[in-house]
Amino acid sequence: MPTHKGHLVIIGGAEDRTGDKRVLAKVLELSGGSDAHMVVIPTASMMGPEVEKVYHAAFMALGAKKVTTLHINDRLMANDPAVADIVLNATGIFMTGGDQSRLAAILGGSEVGKAMHRAYKRRGACVAGTSAGASAISEHMVASGRKGVHPKKGMLNLVPGLGLLGRVIIDQHFSQRHRLGRLLSIVAQNPFLLGVGIDEYTAIVVTPDTELGVIGAGAVTIVDARQMDYTNVNEAKKGAILAMTNIQLHVLPAGFKFHIESRVPQGADELAVTVPAALAGLVEALVETT
Amino acid sequence: MPTHKGHLVIIGGAEDRTGDKRVLAKVLELSGGSDAHMVVIPTASMMGPEVEKVYHAAFMALGAKKVTTLHINDRLMANDPAVADIVLNATGIFMTGGDQSRLAAILGGSEVGKAMHRAYKRRGACVAGTSAGASAISEHMVASGRKGVHPKKGMLNLVPGLGLLGRVIIDQHFSQRHRLGRLLSIVAQNPFLLGVGIDEYTAIVVTPDTELGVIGAGAVTIVDARQMDYTNVNEAKKGAILAMTNIQLHVLPAGFKFHIESRVPQGADELAVTVPAALAGLVEALVETT
C-alpha cells in the first residue's frame, strides 16, 4: 500500500529543453498535462532568470496550463507562507540544475520544503529535478566528489538531501562524468542505500509504490551492496581504492524497471524464461568442453 | 589437482621499469630469481630495439641470470625450431605491450606458441605479459574496442588469444581507459567467461590452481555474469546500451585474491565475520526506522 500519491521524475542532467523534450513531456504528463500548474524552482542555479525563460518556454510549449517560477534564493523566502502556499498548490514542481548544496541549505526544513513533501505525498503532485535537482530529491545526497571507476576512501561528501525519496542515493551525469566509483563508495559505507546512477538525457520515473522506470536516451546503473560479503571501507586509508566483493550491478536502458524496496528488476522474470535458459545451457556446455 | 605447473603474471600496463620495479620483481621471483633465464618477446611492439633495452636492463638489475630478447616479427621466425627451443628452455617468458593482434597473428599456433604452452604447463615456467602482452595470454582476447562505463552492442572485437588462461577475458589499462562497458559486453555475450579488468601499475598473479592474487598500485575489477537473469544482447541494435541484470562486481586492490574456477574472493569469508556482521545489523536497524 503506497504511503504517498505523487510521482518523482529524477533526471540525470542535460535533458532536451528545446527539441522533442521527451523527458520534460513525461514530467508534464505526470503533473496533470494540460491541467498542470508547474512551479519551477531554480534555487540550485546562479542563473535564475535565464533558467526561468528556458523551462517556462518548454513547459508552456508542451501544453501546461500555468508555469510559475519561484526564485527562492534565501531562507527568508523559503519560509514565506505565501511562497510555500504556491508550492503546496502546484501539480508539478521542477528543480533545475546548479549546485545541489544550495537546494539543501536554502530549502531543507523550510516551509517550502515541507510544502513540497505535502504536495507530493498527500496531493499527488509530481516532483521532478534535473542534475543538482535530481540529487537533492533523495534523503542522502552527494554534495561533491571525485570521478573514476574505482571506489576510494573519502572520495565524496554526503549531506542530507530534501528527503522525498528514501533508501536510495542518486548520482547524475553518471556515465558522462565517470561516477561509478563514488556510487560504489557510498553503498560500501552502508548497503542499506541502493545506488542509482542516472545518465544525461535520461531519467527515472518513481511510482507511488516505489517502482522506478527508465526513460530517455542513456541508461541507469544500479549498484546493490546488500549481498556484499567484504569491504575494507572502515580500515582503508584516505584515497585508497576500496575492496568490495559481491556487489550486484544492473544496467537498465529505457523501458526497464526496477522495484526499489524488493531490489528486483521488473520484467526480468518473464524475459528470463526465454533468454537466460539458452544462455544457461551454453554455460553448461562450455564448462564441459573447455 | 593443478593441470600445469607455472605461474602467470598478467599486468595492466605501465608497470614501473626503472624505479622499484615491484611488479617485474614478482615476475622474476616466479621465474626463478637469480637462476632465471628470462626470454623477452617484444612481438606486440613496433619499437623492438627500444623495448629490448628497457626490459633487459630491468630484469638484469633485478638479478636475473640471463635475459634473451627474441624479436619475432613474422611466422617464419615463430616457427623456427631453434627459436622455439630458446622459449621452451626459458624459466620466464615476458611479452611486452604494443598491439595484441600481432601476438595472436604471429605467435598463435606457431612452434614458439607451442613452446610457451609447454614451458608454462610442463616445465613450470612463468609467463608474463603487460598491456597487449596481458590481453594475449587468455583464450579469448579483446582485439579492439570502445571506451565507456556502459556495455553496448558491438563495441568491441574479440579474437582468439594465445590460450594460456581459459575461462577468463582480460582487459588492461582498465580504469585509466574506462573499459568497464566493454568487459560487461563480453560477459553478456557468454557468462562462461569471467571478466577481469586490470589497472595500470597493477597485475594479477595466477597460481597453478587458478587462484589470482592482486599486486601493484591499482585494483582489479571482476565482473561475473553467471547469475545474470536478463540481457538483451541478442536483440539489441548495434551501438545500443545493453540491459544486464544481476551482474556480480568485485573490486580487489593489492593483497586480495580470487579463485577463478569457483569465482569466490579468497579471504573474504574470514574477513566477513567481523565487518559485514556489523553492517548487517546496521542495515536491519535502518530498514526499521527509515
Side-chain angles (χ1 to χ4, degrees):
Chain A
M1 191 52 195
T3 57
H4 62 277
K5 292 182 176 171
H7 285 74
L8 301 171
V9 181
I10 308 177
I11 309 166
E15 77 286 352
D16 177 41
R17 294 143 202 169
T18 53
D20 67 1
K21 303 183 275 290
R22 275 158 53 201
V23 171
L24 296 180
K26 176 57 82 173
V27 173
L28 189 69
E29 178 196 327
L30 294 169
S31 301
S34 57
D35 292 326
H37 176 199
M38 297 299 303
V39 166
V40 175
I41 302 181
T43 298
S45 177
M46 299 301 278
M47 300 182 293
E50 286 171 53
V51 169
E52 173 172 7
K53 269 187 214 164
V54 171
Y55 285 106
H56 190 280
F59 285 123
M60 289 308 286
L62 286 165
K65 190 171 184 178
K66 189 177 172 188
V67 180
T68 305
T69 303
L70 297 175
H71 296 281
I72 308 171
N73 287 319
D74 55 39
R75 288 194 67 87
L76 197 68
M77 185 167 168
N79 281 314
D80 183 333
V83 175
D85 211 49
I86 296 169
V87 173
L88 183 62
N89 289 298
T91 63
I93 300 161
F94 187 90
M95 291 182 283
T96 72
D99 177 357
Q100 55 262 46
S101 300
R102 283 176 55 84
L103 286 164
I106 295 172
L107 302 184
S110 71
E111 291 305 314
V112 165
K114 289 178 203 164
M116 286 174 68
H117 274 261
R118 281 190 213 114
Y120 165 57
K121 292 176 182 166
R122 299 194 197 157
R123 300 193 50 254
C126 174
V127 177
T130 185
S131 189
S135 287
I137 283 175
S138 58
E139 210 158 58
H140 301 270
M141 175 181 102
V142 181
S144 61
R146 287 185 293 142
K147 71 180 185 178
V149 73
H150 291 319
K152 292 182 182 170
K153 176 85 166 202
M155 77 191 295
L156 60 78
N157 299 304
L158 287 184
V159 303
L162 297 179
L164 293 151
L165 181 62
R167 304 171 182 227
V168 163
I169 183 91
I170 299 289
D171 213 349
Q172 15 80 350
H173 302 281
F174 188 73
S175 68
Q176 288 80 8
R177 296 189 189 171
H178 306 294
R179 290 177 165 175
L180 180 65
R182 73 188 209 181
L183 198 61
L184 286 169
S185 80
I186 298 165
V187 300
Q189 291 178 88
N190 190 335
F192 165 70
L193 284 180
L194 183 74
V196 176
I198 307 173
D199 288 350
E200 295 178 359
Y201 323 108
T202 310
I204 59 169
V205 175
V206 183
T207 65
D209 63 352
T210 68
E211 184 179 75
L212 70 83
V214 181
I215 61 172
V220 168
T221 302
I222 293 182
V223 292
D224 179 358
R226 268 189 322 177
Q227 295 177 45
M228 176 172 70
D229 48 30
Y230 176 69
T231 180
N232 60 355
V233 67
N234 296 313
E235 298 78 25
K237 287 183 188 163
K238 190 163 165 62
I241 298 173
L242 300 178
M244 298 174 71
T245 65
N246 286 320
I247 307 304
Q248 279 177 289
L249 176 75
H250 310 275
V251 182
L252 306 176
F256 288 86
K257 293 179 179 179
F258 190 90
H259 197 265
I260 293 172
E261 282 192 36
S262 65
R263 299 197 175 185
V264 173
Q266 300 297 298
D269 281 348
E270 302 91 280
L271 292 161
V273 180
T274 52
V275 181
L279 284 173
L282 200 56
V283 172
E284 293 296 331
L286 280 160
V287 168
E288 292 300 319
T289 58
T290 309
Chain B
M1 191 56 193
T3 57
H4 63 276
K5 292 182 176 172
H7 285 74
L8 301 171
V9 181
I10 309 177
I11 309 166
E15 76 285 354
D16 177 43
R17 295 143 201 170
T18 53
D20 66 1
K21 303 184 271 295
R22 276 158 54 200
V23 171
L24 296 180
K26 176 57 79 172
V27 173
L28 189 70
E29 178 195 326
L30 294 169
S31 300
S34 58
D35 291 326
H37 175 198
M38 297 299 303
V39 166
V40 176
I41 302 181
T43 298
S45 177
M46 300 300 279
M47 301 182 292
E50 286 171 52
V51 168
E52 173 171 8
K53 269 188 213 165
V54 170
Y55 286 105
H56 190 280
F59 286 123
M60 289 309 285
L62 286 166
K65 189 172 186 178
K66 187 178 173 187
V67 180
T68 304
T69 303
L70 297 175
H71 295 281
I72 307 170
N73 287 319
D74 54 39
R75 290 195 67 87
L76 197 68
M77 186 168 169
N79 280 315
D80 183 332
V83 175
D85 211 49
I86 296 169
V87 172
L88 183 62
N89 289 298
T91 64
I93 299 161
F94 186 89
M95 291 182 281
T96 73
D99 176 357
Q100 55 261 46
S101 300
R102 283 175 54 83
L103 286 164
I106 294 171
L107 301 184
S110 72
E111 291 305 313
V112 164
K114 290 178 203 164
M116 285 174 67
H117 275 260
R118 280 190 215 112
Y120 165 58
K121 292 177 182 167
R122 299 193 198 159
R123 300 193 49 255
C126 173
V127 177
T130 185
S131 189
S135 287
I137 283 175
S138 58
E139 210 159 59
H140 301 269
M141 175 182 101
V142 181
S144 61
R146 288 184 293 142
K147 71 179 185 178
V149 72
H150 291 318
K152 292 182 182 170
K153 176 84 168 204
M155 77 191 294
L156 59 80
N157 299 304
L158 287 183
V159 304
L162 297 179
L164 293 151
L165 180 62
R167 306 173 181 226
V168 163
I169 184 91
I170 299 290
D171 213 349
Q172 14 81 351
H173 302 281
F174 189 73
S175 68
Q176 288 81 8
R177 296 188 188 173
H178 306 295
R179 289 175 166 176
L180 179 65
R182 73 189 210 181
L183 197 61
L184 286 169
S185 80
I186 297 165
V187 300
Q189 291 178 89
N190 190 335
F192 166 70
L193 285 180
L194 183 74
V196 176
I198 307 173
D199 287 351
E200 295 178 359
Y201 325 108
T202 309
I204 59 170
V205 175
V206 183
T207 65
D209 62 353
T210 68
E211 184 180 75
L212 70 82
V214 181
I215 61 172
V220 168
T221 302
I222 294 182
V223 291
D224 179 356
R226 268 187 324 175
Q227 295 177 46
M228 176 172 70
D229 47 30
Y230 176 69
T231 180
N232 60 355
V233 67
N234 296 315
E235 297 78 26
K237 287 183 188 163
K238 191 163 164 61
I241 299 173
L242 300 178
M244 297 174 70
T245 66
N246 286 320
I247 307 304
Q248 279 177 289
L249 177 75
H250 310 277
V251 182
L252 306 175
F256 288 86
K257 293 178 178 179
F258 190 90
H259 197 264
I260 293 172
E261 282 192 39
S262 65
R263 298 197 176 185
V264 173
Q266 300 297 298
D269 282 348
E270 302 91 282
L271 292 160
V273 180
T274 51
V275 181
L279 285 174
L282 201 55
V283 172
E284 294 295 332
L286 280 161
V287 169
E288 291 300 320
T289 58
T290 309

